[in-house]
Amino acid sequence: MRQSFAKSCQGWCNGLTFERLTMADAPTRHTGTAPTIRDVAALAGVATSTVSRALSNPDRVNRVTRERIEKIAAELNYVPSSQARGLSSGRTNAIALLVPDVTNPFYFDIIRGTQNQLKAAGYTQLLVDTEESAEMEADTLRKMQRTADGFILAASRLSDATLAEAAANQAIVTINRSSSYAPTVMIDTPGAVIQALEHLTSLGHSRICYVGGPSSSWSNAKRWKTFDDETRDRGLTTSRVGPFAPKMTSGAAAADAAVRTGATACIVFNDLLAIGMLQRLRERGIRVPEDMSIVGCDDIFGADFCNPPLTTMASPIEQAGRVAVSMLLAQLGPLRSASSRRLAVMPTHLTVRGSTGSAPQQG
Amino acid sequence: MRQSFAKSCQGWCNGLTFERLTMADAPTRHTGTAPTIRDVAALAGVATSTVSRALSNPDRVNRVTRERIEKIAAELNYVPSSQARGLSSGRTNAIALLVPDVTNPFYFDIIRGTQNQLKAAGYTQLLVDTEESAEMEADTLRKMQRTADGFILAASRLSDATLAEAAANQAIVTINRSSSYAPTVMIDTPGAVIQALEHLTSLGHSRICYVGGPSSSWSNAKRWKTFDDETRDRGLTTSRVGPFAPKMTSGAAAADAAVRTGATACIVFNDLLAIGMLQRLRERGIRVPEDMSIVGCDDIFGADFCNPPLTTMASPIEQAGRVAVSMLLAQLGPLRSASSRRLAVMPTHLTVRGSTGSAPQQG
DNA sequence: AACACATGCGCGAACTCCAGGCAAAGATCA
DNA sequence: TGATCTTTGCCTGGAGTTCGCGCATGTGTT
């Protein structure tokens, strides 16, 4: 073995000694922090490349050598720097999740879903709040193009053109934002709206109001369209109020506007807004569901314990996050998405709770 | 971009669509198009080092050259790879936030706070769920030692020894986990518990139960100790039940246990558990607050609109997250924490809502 | 038994991208 | 014209991966 050429040097890791070839002194700092691949290689008496392969491509290294290297690496607590690894491989093992508003519980569920799935796949999640701004979203996408291997855009505010451009340059999956440019996870809102309408009409409601969310929201447009299409043939009196910001505080304005339309039931853009409305209605002495029925959307945390509990179009949000991750990773995989899905539709169902009831008798 | 991408994109419909890559360069490394500093340098007719300086150290480069470089960089959409930058600087510009459970709304607020503050400082947030496991927490800390510049541990489950060791090697700030090894942001639970006790006794309650959270939780221990100390001198009949997992589903068991103690009021480890208890008590026909008063802790999302709205020890959780970030960044700064704060205590106040009321008259 | 060929293993160099030190070249001033 | 700046280029370091290649066996053939 070549170790006979080596001379023993002063160990710098917990009193261990190691062999070093008679070369110019490599500038290995012994700061006690973060051992590098070189440290491992020196201790194991092999080249750095061998260490690299032993750890990342084990079957291309002799078993004894590999085990020795693994042992030493473990002793040193060696962790390959993902920074340096990413340099040559071009990958970061991180994916970014862009949400319009970390404040919104809807996105919490998505965060949770992606987080779980990414961790399972050994990826790191980079969480970014784009503050409901398309510009900020595009900006983040640009700035992080090298930082993340891929992006999940939840409820993207991007224009079609911008999204197309972005998707051409990086791996992207959208959630609740249909697009022909990037794979998408859709939550089946149309189906849910239809269920909600059926529920309300079967309870005798004939004057129904759609309480709209932000105008830049794709899913809001979709929900309204379905609502509009489906009510046309049923002899219902419909109205629409909004747009309202998807926050609880907008609930007061939304409730007042909805009441003014004379409707006896509302289908509301999302649960946050709906819960805000419930509060306002109670303040005003309007009983739910006796005077007014409310249907929310998303089934967020809190929809089950608000007062009254909210009837809502429940969607498997967390699962949507997980599916988005799978689709993204498939895109990144070696098979290059030859057959990977472009669209996943998450099923939705109506969860009936206390906020909907029979239509009030006509005075 | 140069990609002729718009072709062969199926419209989306219900059902699944498949993508087929018809482009010549099958391995469309999305990053293959990402310009490097070399591209910019070549186009600008300067050396790469000049580009580097022009962008990160502008006053060391002639204005005309700099502007030319900036223009070209902008045209190319050039973004320096944080990977490579980190290599030489040793910094990643990323901070990891470790939370025991992303599911818990309490941490949502922390996530939100750190997210905002980090973004403002130009840092990326790496979110990790440690699943309430000390081992997993330590593991993450080790694995990410090179990935993040610093760590924020929310409600750390680490043992003192492990925490000490970790803090010796990396920049760490803890939230709600006192320690002499790392700077800490504390939420003033003792103060809150005292306020809650005063509130309850002033309402005539004399039999009060503490509903405990997980035994590994430092703040749970702290809350119980304060409760115990403070009730001793007041001639109150106290009891303790638990430990319970800090989840809504544990509320049922917690409620049943609390009722059995004969207490007329409960101080509950956190709001999640408290809200779960409210549900159970209603199921059992026990009225809140007429038969039983409930005080939660944290004032999470939902505490204001549950039924009845929850009286709770409100803490500025989001602000705690922000402060943690500031403390961490101070630690990372050039001054090396010589004078940076080791402890921040966030004030707390009792927010009285509908879940507390006068003690029931003795039968 | 000797030789040719095949295989496995590990080395070293080249590469990734950026920052920064040093030095050279050009510009300005005395 | 020499001295002092100012600008800019060259080169190296930093941590890891990848690839070509040589060395040392191992196998098969005559």
Side-chain angles (χ1 to χ4, degrees), chain A residues 47 49-50 53 62 65:
Chain A
S49 51
T50 308
R53 247 180 297 112
N62 187 316
T65 324

Side-chain angles (χ1 to χ4, degrees), chain B:
Chain B
M1 294 306 288
R2 64 191 74 76
Q3 316 257 13
S4 58
F5 190 83
K7 62 164 67 175
S8 83
C9 284
Q10 305 271 347
W12 72 283
C13 254
N14 42 4
L16 302 174
T17 326
F18 294 89
E19 170 194 44
R20 172 158 285 298
L21 275 182
T22 53
M23 280 167 288
D25 42 356
T28 317
R29 277 303 310 153
H30 293 268
T31 53
T33 49
T36 79
I37 201 172
R38 252 175 279 275
D39 301 327
V40 181
L43 269 174
V46 297
T48 58
S49 53
T50 309
V51 176
S52 171
R53 262 184 304 243
L55 298 178
S56 53
N57 218 345
D59 41 330
R60 300 204 39 83
V61 168
N62 187 318
R63 222 194 65 200
V64 246
T65 336
R66 168 161 50 88
E67 281 170 0
R68 181 156 42 96
I69 291 173
E70 280 169 351
K71 185 160 157 286
I72 290 177
E75 274 169 11
L76 285 186
N77 235 336
Y78 167 72
V79 182
S81 150
S82 54
Q83 301 257 34
R85 170 173 288 167
L87 249 195
S88 40
S89 69
R91 315 190 71 185
T92 61
N93 266 326
I95 297 290
L97 171 66
L98 275 58
V99 299
D101 176 15
V102 278
T103 291
N104 186 328
F106 175 76
Y107 300 114
F108 287 164
D109 287 320
I110 289 184
I111 292 171
R112 199 186 303 169
T114 53
Q115 168 73 38
N116 286 346
Q117 197 76 354
L118 284 172
K119 195 169 57 182
Y123 277 76
T124 302
Q125 172 170 110
L126 313 175
L127 179 62
V128 182
D129 183 342
T130 58
E131 295 172 8
E132 312 253 5
S133 147
E135 194 181 326
M136 176 135 184
E137 200 175 330
D139 207 48
T140 308
L141 230 34
R142 199 174 51 76
K143 283 215 182 107
M144 299 188 79
Q145 56 181 328
R146 317 282 284 281
T147 313
D149 292 340
F151 295 82
I152 296 177
L153 309 185
S156 173
R157 267 33 172 176
L158 290 182
S159 71
D160 269 21
T162 318
L163 180 56
E165 190 191 321
N169 293 321
Q170 36 215 326
I172 289 183
V173 169
T174 57
I175 296 180
N176 258 12
R177 164 66 149 84
S178 158
S179 144
S180 49
Y181 308 107
T184 298
V185 179
M186 283 299 304
I187 292 177
D188 178 26
T189 314
V193 170
I194 295 171
Q195 285 182 56
L197 281 170
E198 275 169 6
H199 171 62
L200 290 175
T201 51
S202 73
L203 286 170
H205 292 276
S206 60
R207 286 169 314 182
I208 305 180
C209 175
Y210 178 77
V211 180
S215 45
S216 63
S217 160
W218 189 89
S219 51
N220 180 56
K222 200 76 189 165
R223 269 167 225 174
W224 163 248
K225 182 170 187 316
T226 311
F227 179 90
D228 201 36
D229 290 352
E230 292 294 323
T231 50
R232 193 155 293 156
D233 314 328
R234 304 198 188 201
L236 299 172
T237 309
T238 65
S239 55
R240 177 188 190 179
V241 296
F244 297 103
K247 300 179 191 294
M248 271 179 59
T249 48
S250 307
D256 291 349
V259 167
R260 281 200 56 203
T261 67
T264 61
C266 294
I267 291 183
V268 185
F269 169 65
N270 76 2
D271 284 353
L272 264 190
L273 196 52
I275 291 173
M277 290 176 68
L278 292 181
Q279 292 193 294
R280 174 62 165 191
L281 292 172
R282 191 165 44 251
E283 274 173 36
R284 290 188 50 183
I286 298 168
R287 295 165 303 163
V288 177
E290 290 80 1
D291 303 325
M292 169 80 91
S293 285
I294 300 282
V295 178
C297 186
D298 296 340
D299 198 17
I300 62 170
F301 174 84
D304 56 335
F305 62 75
C306 58
N307 183 15
L310 190 64
T311 294
T312 189
M313 304 177 260
S315 37
I317 314 176
E318 194 175 331
Q319 198 190 337
R322 284 203 294 271
V323 171
V325 169
S326 318
M327 288 170 75
L328 187 58
L329 295 186
Q331 221 183 125
L332 293 175
L335 301 175
R336 289 307 293 165
S337 73
S339 63
S340 59
R341 283 192 298 176
R342 302 278 310 168
L343 178 68
V345 176
M346 309 307 293
T348 300
H349 66 272
L350 190 70
T351 295
V352 176
R353 299 203 184 93
S355 70
T356 47
S358 299
Q361 299 303 321
Q362 294 279 13

Side-chain angles (χ1 to χ4, degrees), chain A residues 37 48-67 69-70 78 80 85 89:
Chain A
I37 199 173
T48 58
S49 51
T50 308
V51 176
S52 172
R53 247 180 297 112
L55 298 177
S56 53
N57 216 346
D59 41 333
R60 295 195 47 80
V61 167
N62 187 316
R63 220 193 68 200
V64 247
T65 324
R66 169 161 49 89
E67 281 171 359
I69 291 173
E70 280 168 351
Y78 167 71
R85 168 174 287 165
S89 70

